[in-house]
Amino acid sequence: MAEHESFNFKSRDELASKIKALGLSLSLSDNISVLFQKFDFSGRTIPNRLAVHPMEGFDSQPDGSPGELAFRRYGRFASGGSGLIWFEAVSVVPEGRSNPHQMWLQDKNIASFSRLVEHTRQTARKTIGSGHEPYLVIQLTHSGRYSQPDGQLVPRAAAYNPYLDKDKEGIYILTDEELASVQDKFVSTARLAWKAGFDAVDIKACHGYLVNDLLAAFERKNSRYGGDFENRTRFLIETVERIRAEVPALSVAVRLSLWDAVPYPYGFGADRWNSKQPDLDEPRRLIQKLSTSGCRLINVSMGNPYRDPSIGRPFDRPLPGSPEPEEYPLESMSRLINNTAVLQNEFPQIPFVGTGYSWLQQFWPYLGAGVVSTDKAHFIGLGRSSFAYPDAPRDLMENQKLSQSKVCIACSRCTELMRRGGPTGCVIRDKEIYAREYKKSVNSSYK
Ligand SMILES: Cc1cc2nc3c(=O)[nH]c(=O)nc-3n(C[C@H](O)[C@H](O)[C@H](O)COP(=O)(O)O)c2cc1C
């Protein structure tokens, strides 16, 4: 493990030398054009291999409808040219919202979600061309132990977890009956998503939220949703099967944490003997089951951002008051990229969206091209970079390179905004809105 350092590469060659010096298996390619290859998928053609990752904006109306800033955000993503736009975490029940301004899709606000879908499609056609039809996935979630429906934490968990919970007393453990009713909500909300015009729904199973928590519920006793592998994966598998059966025109995707980076028996994908590394045995068995159940697309992540955000989103500057990461950001990226590659290789029938590229600033396209050209993942997902530089795909298409003055600098200010409950976006590159919000958030919490 090398010590953490900030990004300091002036050229692609300097980056290549560092990768070599660290002995990492990450190959760069100059053949950027592979990122613009079309991809035939579920009867559709996805225009290119670049994906906007789901990124919560926390700017909805009180009833969960997308607010003005959400229309602005998805308009920016659409005009940026990404082939796949993965809409942020949208709650299926009010008590499972992670913030009072997290989107929540329900019967009575479906019209506003339809307008957001239409706005996204129209903007993409208008700016990129009439044939440009990005594939639109919406992420459905229940925030579980991180639920803050009114701005205060009201945890609802699958099981007590000593690595994530302060004490047992503050944690409400959902009963099997309550979980069954949450599953009904995932299914009925998926139907609404289809009616609103989305191409696919994602059942969010990462970052410690409820479905991820269930995957790691080794210590949930006397329950059909805890203990052995069958039980822990039951909620997710049944949800996928039910959506496929009840809303057959809708594709189903999963954002999956391959490794929670929480020690066994309290984290999914944990190596029983070495808490510092993943064990892909259970993720592999789960993906096999997901494939059989009809899941068609997987977006990979790792780590719990409330415990160690550097695992899933390598950064330069930690959140105020948080320690520097233990490892060099390229090492975290390598773990994300190479474990994804192992599974993409074993499941070629399911396209994977890779994660962890934003830290590379203007050089991520070279690593992305190296990954796509060797089938280590079929799509390259960008999170913080999409906030900072939504039109990176278009710039890349037109100029074959990115502008250094527009890239994400992995400063964690978007996460700071999120943690304080404010609307999230790029404080540095999208100053007009978010520098102002950042100032506001420093002076007074939004909660
Ligand atoms: C402000 C913020 C909001 C996020 N919201 C979501 C979300 O709604 N759903 C999700 O799966 N991941 C979410 N993530 C994680 C990103 O999708 C992505 O996995 C992470 O930022 C790493 O990718 P990057 O290095 O390209 O930023 C969020 C991350 C940040 C910083």
Side-chain angles (χ1 to χ4, degrees):
M1 211 183 270
E3 251 179 51
H4 183 267
E5 277 174 39
S6 295
F7 182 92
N8 60 357
F9 306 110
K10 291 191 186 55
S11 68
R12 172 205 177 292
D13 289 347
E14 275 185 27
L15 169 63
S17 306
K18 184 70 177 183
I19 291 172
K20 199 167 166 204
L22 291 172
L24 299 174
S25 169
L26 293 172
S27 40
L28 308 181
S29 164
D30 291 321
N31 184 14
I32 302 294
S33 65
V34 294
L35 298 174
F36 295 98
Q37 281 173 357
K38 296 185 187 334
F39 189 82
D40 289 331
F41 176 71
S42 263
R44 286 277 307 279
T45 299
I46 301 181
N48 58 53
R49 306 305 186 90
L50 298 172
V52 172
H53 268 323
M55 300 285 288
E56 279 149 323
F58 291 157
D59 44 24
S60 82
Q61 309 288 351
D63 75 342
S65 331
E68 229 175 85
L69 285 175
F71 279 84
R72 178 182 183 272
R73 179 166 58 261
Y74 287 97
R76 279 161 55 92
F77 293 158
S79 62
S82 291
L84 178 49
I85 301 179
W86 204 294
F87 284 60
E88 67 203 75
V90 172
S91 192
V92 299
V93 286
E95 68 276 13
R97 289 165 98 182
S98 60
N99 174 300
H101 296 286
Q102 182 176 46
M103 287 194 216
W104 160 34
L105 172 56
Q106 49 168 333
D107 265 318
K108 65 179 190 205
N109 65 15
I110 184 173
S112 60
F113 280 87
S114 302
R115 280 198 299 279
L116 182 62
V117 167
E118 203 37 43
H119 169 69
T120 307
R121 294 202 192 283
Q122 293 281 7
T123 310
R125 284 182 205 126
K126 212 161 72 193
T127 44
I128 311 292
S130 58
H132 182 80
E133 294 288 342
Y135 194 80
L136 308 187
V137 183
I138 180 174
Q139 181 173 76
L140 302 185
T141 193
H142 182 303
S143 297
R145 71 165 29 75
Y146 302 113
S147 299
Q148 302 193 44
D150 299 310
Q152 301 298 326
L153 199 63
V154 186
R156 289 169 168 81
Y160 167 68
N161 190 320
Y163 292 94
L164 307 176
D165 301 324
K166 274 203 208 101
D167 53 53
K168 271 189 183 166
E169 280 61 50
I171 289 289
Y172 179 74
I173 307 299
L174 289 160
T175 63
D176 279 12
E177 291 68 32
E178 286 166 332
L179 285 168
S181 108
V182 170
Q183 184 179 76
D184 291 342
K185 284 294 188 183
F186 269 98
V187 178
S188 59
T189 311
R191 183 183 296 283
L192 296 178
W194 170 65
K195 286 189 183 157
F198 288 97
D199 297 308
V201 281
D202 155 27
I203 309 305
K204 182 176 193 176
C206 60
H207 305 160
Y209 298 108
L210 184 63
V211 182
N212 183 197
D213 192 25
L214 282 160
L215 296 178
F218 292 87
E219 296 296 303
R220 183 184 172 93
K221 307 291 183 202
N222 307 317
S223 159
R224 64 192 299 267
Y225 300 113
D228 67 16
F229 176 77
E230 281 311 304
N231 279 356
R232 284 181 287 110
T233 56
R234 184 186 309 281
F235 185 96
L236 176 57
I237 295 297
E238 279 182 1
T239 308
V240 172
E241 284 173 350
R242 284 188 57 194
I243 295 172
R244 288 300 300 133
E246 296 177 37
V247 200
L250 187 70
S251 290
V252 181
V254 171
R255 185 138 209 231
L256 182 64
S257 172
L258 298 183
W259 178 51
D260 292 342
V262 176
Y264 176 85
Y266 294 100
F268 185 65
D271 185 307
R272 292 176 189 222
W273 293 277
N274 182 350
S275 64
K276 299 279 181 199
Q277 66 181 32
D279 175 350
L280 291 184
D281 176 52
E282 285 208 344
R284 173 180 289 121
R285 286 163 61 199
L286 174 57
I287 292 169
Q288 181 58 60
K289 284 179 78 158
L290 284 170
S291 174
T292 311
S293 308
C295 166
R296 292 282 166 268
L297 181 63
I298 289 187
N299 186 331
V300 168
S301 191
M302 279 188 181
N304 179 319
Y306 298 90
R307 188 173 139 83
D308 184 353
S310 70
I311 302 280
R313 59 179 85 135
F315 53 73
D316 269 5
R317 171 185 173 272
L319 287 171
S322 301
E324 292 242 304
E326 281 180 15
E327 60 188 9
Y328 189 85
L330 279 171
E331 294 175 321
S332 321
M333 292 174 72
S334 171
R335 184 191 297 112
L336 278 160
I337 289 168
N338 287 309
N339 283 289
T340 303
V342 169
L343 295 170
Q344 176 69 90
N345 201 267
E346 292 177 21
F347 297 96
Q349 75 280 18
I350 305 183
F352 282 53
V353 181
T355 294
Y357 294 81
S358 290
W359 182 79
L360 278 186
Q361 300 201 3
Q362 69 272 34
F363 301 123
W364 66 254
Y366 304 109
L367 181 58
V371 164
V372 169
S373 60
T374 50
D375 291 331
K376 288 183 171 172
H378 289 305
F379 291 92
I380 302 302
L382 279 315
R384 292 161 298 171
S385 166
S386 299
F387 271 169
Y389 193 175
D391 47 356
R394 208 172 58 198
D395 273 7
L396 203 55
M397 218 175 333
E398 287 167 6
N399 311 321
Q400 285 71 55
K401 61 178 183 154
L402 298 182
S403 159
Q404 199 186 345
S405 63
K406 296 185 184 173
V407 295
C408 165
I409 55 165
C411 65
S412 298
R413 286 191 174 85
C414 53
T415 310
E416 253 184 86
L417 269 173
M418 176 164 69
R419 289 282 182 272
R420 295 197 192 114
T424 55
C426 184
V427 175
I428 307 298
R429 307 294 190 199
D430 194 7
K431 282 199 170 73
E432 186 198 337
I433 308 281
Y434 296 101
R436 195 183 62 216
E437 292 297 341
Y438 185 75
K439 252 193 214 148
K440 220 164 52 178
S441 81
V442 171
N443 297 327
S444 70
S445 170
Y446 282 87
K447 289 172 194 164

